[in-house]
Amino acid sequence: VENLAIEKIIEKDQYKDLTDRQRHVLQAIAGDVPLNVPLNVPLNTSALAEAFSVSRKTLQRDLDVLVGKKLIIRKGGRKNGYWERVRK
């Protein structure tokens, strides 16, 4: 029981400094928020940037923060890769 409480505190700490857009990007990657992206398009940086109406560079900065907090990981290569939420 005590370990579970500690894990929740750590988890909340990871989300504490996220901006609203970073939280929405994380939810979109997790599949919790529907995006206006065709089903056959992987959730890559370009698709996410378009869905959030921001530049690729802006979205990449958000992704860098999420990677730094170990909330998402990159799967696959540069051309056919996609983002995935880290599950604990």
Side-chain angles (χ1 to χ4, degrees):
V1 175
E2 188 175 316
N3 286 342
L4 184 58
I6 291 170
E7 286 177 22
K8 285 189 177 191
I9 291 169
I10 291 170
E11 186 174 312
K12 284 182 184 178
D13 223 21
Q14 287 178 311
Y15 298 107
K16 183 174 67 173
D17 298 329
L18 296 180
T19 65
D20 286 341
R21 187 177 56 241
Q22 290 166 348
R23 290 173 199 256
H24 284 98
V25 169
L26 182 60
Q27 290 171 333
I29 290 171
D32 297 339
V33 175
L35 293 177
N36 191 18
V37 176
L39 292 175
N40 61 340
V41 175
L43 282 181
N44 60 28
T45 306
S46 296
L48 285 167
E50 187 175 326
F52 285 98
S53 300
V54 296
S55 69
R56 278 188 83 251
K57 187 99 170 154
T58 296
L59 189 84
Q60 187 60 56
R61 283 191 295 267
D62 290 337
L63 294 172
D64 290 344
V65 169
L66 297 173
V67 168
K69 290 183 172 283
K70 297 180 175 33
L71 296 171
I72 62 172
I73 57 173
R74 177 84 176 161
K75 294 281 191 163
R78 284 178 38 183
K79 189 171 183 176
N80 296 317
Y82 59 95
W83 295 98
E84 191 173 278
R85 183 161 183 189
V86 173
R87 300 287 181 193
K88 293 184 179 184

